[in-house]
């Protein structure tokens, strides 16, 4: 039952975000819409490296038989999610016509580089079933700081510009991290906590949906 439900959910998720991303890239009339589309495609393709092996594992011989594939997929997803937030930062700059602010841009890139560098350390033991929790925490610290910065930026800018279309963009990011952090900390010892990845994924779908709906609204004006 888990194999059927989880695989079905993942297929719907990947199909939805990648399809919406392609539509935004092809039909978007602004740089913002097209960038949002690229961001959605990056999200979907990146997650597929982890979710596809997981679906295969659940439907065949079990997760233990796919430890290496799942580890490699998790590593790739960690990198693509970092890129996702860099792109989201530029969506913010385009939407609110932000110029300059080199210190902020440097901070985003510095955090991204630190995050990716930490992911590259062999101590992460990506392909091991006994990957250390400590390194899971280390590599997610700069990632969480990136997320916090993006949350604050979208919250303040949407409020200042009375931007109803992106009113809840910050909330989608808050929810994604709220569901993700417990998984990082407790999923290995309390497997049921891993279920929080489902609402986390839904939060990302909401992020993409906000961009898609905004593109449609702009096209009708």
């Amino acid at each position: 039952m888990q194999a059927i439900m989880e695989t079905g959910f993942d297929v719907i998720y990947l199909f939805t975000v990648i399809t919406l991303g392609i539509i935004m890239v092809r039909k978007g009339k602004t740089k913002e819409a097209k960038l949002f589309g690229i961001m959605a495609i990056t999200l979907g393709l990146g997650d597929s490296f982890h979710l596809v092996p997981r679906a295969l594992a659940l439907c065949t011989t079990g997760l233990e038989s796919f430890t290496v594939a799942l580890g490699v997929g998790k590593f790739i997803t960690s990198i693509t999610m970092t890129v996702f937030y860099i792109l989201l930062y530029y969506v913010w700059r385009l939407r609110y016509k932000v110029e300059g602010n080199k210190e902020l841009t440097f901070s985003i890139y510095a955090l991204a580089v630190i995050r990716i560098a930490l992911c590259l350390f062999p101590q992460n033991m990506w392909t091991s079933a006994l990957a250390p929790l400590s390194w899971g925490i280390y590599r997610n610290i700069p990632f969480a700081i990136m997320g916090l910065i993006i949350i604050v930026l979208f919250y303040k800018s949407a409020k200042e510009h009375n931007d109803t279309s992106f009113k809840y963009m910050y909330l989608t990011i808050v929810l994604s991290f709220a569901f993700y952090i417990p998984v990082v900390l407790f999923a290995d010892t309390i497997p049921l906590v891993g279920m929080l990845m489902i609402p986390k994924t839904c939060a990302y779908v909401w992020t993409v949906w906000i961009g898609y709906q905004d593109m449609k609204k702009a096209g009708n004006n």
Side-chain angles (χ1 to χ4, degrees), residues 13-78:
Y13 159 63
L14 293 175
F15 177 80
T16 299
V17 296
I18 292 174
T19 299
L20 292 178
I22 292 171
I23 292 172
M24 283 188 275
V25 170
R26 292 185 61 187
K27 296 187 177 181
K29 296 179 181 178
T30 64
K31 288 183 179 180
E32 179 196 329
K34 291 184 180 298
L35 183 60
F36 212 110
I38 293 170
M39 187 183 77
I41 294 169
T42 301
L43 173 68
L45 291 180
D47 279 357
S48 69
F49 281 96
H50 176 66
L51 295 179
V52 171
R54 183 174 176 84
L56 289 172
L58 289 172
C59 294
T60 55
T61 54
L63 297 174
E64 296 80 9
S65 302
F66 284 76
T67 301
V68 173
L70 288 168
V72 172
K74 191 176 179 182
F75 165 72
I76 295 172
T77 299
S78 296

Side-chain angles (χ1 to χ4, degrees), residues 32 35 88-106 108 149-150 152-154 156-158 160-161 163:
E32 179 196 329
L35 183 60
L88 188 55
Y89 168 70
Y90 279 100
V91 166
W92 170 78
R93 289 183 67 94
L94 285 171
R95 185 167 188 84
Y96 301 109
K97 299 177 175 58
V98 178
E99 300 291 341
N101 219 331
K102 293 181 179 179
E103 295 82 3
L104 179 60
T105 301
F106 175 80
I108 292 294
I149 292 172
I150 301 297
V152 172
L153 293 177
F154 273 103
K156 290 178 65 176
S157 296
E160 289 170 3
H161 292 81
D163 185 358

